[in-house]
Amino acid sequence: QAGMLKGLFKYSAQKVRQRASTPKFQVYNNSLITAQENYTFKDAQLNPGLWGRLIESAVGAHLINFSREQNYEIYYYRERNMEVDFIVESGEKLLALEVKSGRTREKIPNLNQFLSKFKNVKSFLIGKDGLPLNDFFSINPIELF
């Protein structure tokens, strides 16, 4: 209620299963993650694991901040070892977003499996080999539909 964290539920075609899932917490602002840390921006960039978590969190923050005015829902998807970072639902439309902070020459198997399971889903890779981060952060996410 303080507008600092939002719980993202697991996406499921069955609404009752969404609410029964364990939420993945997403901050509204990355400063809540980094304020008490002892690393510089450059240190974070040089640590691929940390940088990846910060970029994914920044994308999630962008999504949830716009969701307040655009009235769409945000979820994550996980089934066994398969995870898709964000699923955005606006009415009957679905958008699957996979975030990659570094270069990836490989296919995105998790995203592809999700797309084979759920039909009529628009998808984007967010990052260097997809929609550039600067472009993503400069738009209202509803424009991706």
Side-chain angles (χ1 to χ4, degrees):
Q1 290 178 336
M4 295 170 65
L5 287 174
K6 178 177 178 74
L8 303 182
F9 291 100
K10 179 180 171 184
Y11 179 77
S12 173
Q14 300 169 338
K15 296 296 180 190
V16 74
R17 293 188 72 196
Q18 287 176 350
R19 294 291 175 192
S21 68
T22 301
K24 172 179 160 181
F25 289 109
Q26 173 63 54
V27 295
Y28 279 87
N29 187 311
N30 263 10
S31 65
L32 293 171
I33 297 172
T34 60
Q36 299 296 315
E37 297 296 334
N38 285 332
Y39 52 79
T40 66
F41 184 76
K42 187 70 171 171
D43 292 339
Q45 286 181 306
L46 293 173
N47 180 329
L50 173 61
W51 187 245
R53 286 188 300 277
L54 292 173
I55 294 298
E56 182 179 326
S57 182
V59 167
H62 185 70
L63 290 169
I64 65 172
N65 281 300
F66 271 97
S67 73
R68 291 173 165 179
E69 63 187 52
Q70 296 298 319
N71 201 27
Y72 58 76
E73 294 295 325
I74 307 158
Y75 305 93
Y76 71 94
Y77 183 78
R78 183 177 299 132
E79 186 174 298
R80 295 186 188 101
N81 293 336
M82 182 182 75
E83 182 178 339
V84 176
D85 295 322
F86 300 102
I87 306 299
V88 182
E89 182 180 51
S90 179
E92 297 293 317
K93 299 177 193 172
L94 279 182
L95 184 63
L97 302 175
E98 185 68 21
V99 181
K100 296 294 180 195
S101 59
R103 290 217 175 269
T104 177
R105 298 270 182 238
E106 63 196 53
K107 295 185 180 199
I108 312 301
N110 294 346
L111 187 56
N112 292 335
Q113 284 180 318
F114 181 85
L115 295 174
S116 69
K117 185 172 182 170
F118 297 94
K119 303 301 180 202
N120 299 318
V121 178
K122 197 167 182 183
S123 66
F124 286 92
L125 176 63
I126 308 294
K128 290 183 182 177
D129 289 339
L131 178 63
L133 290 168
N134 286 341
D135 292 350
F136 175 77
F137 291 128
S138 68
I139 65 167
N140 179 335
I142 203 80
E143 295 174 33
L144 296 174
F145 284 101

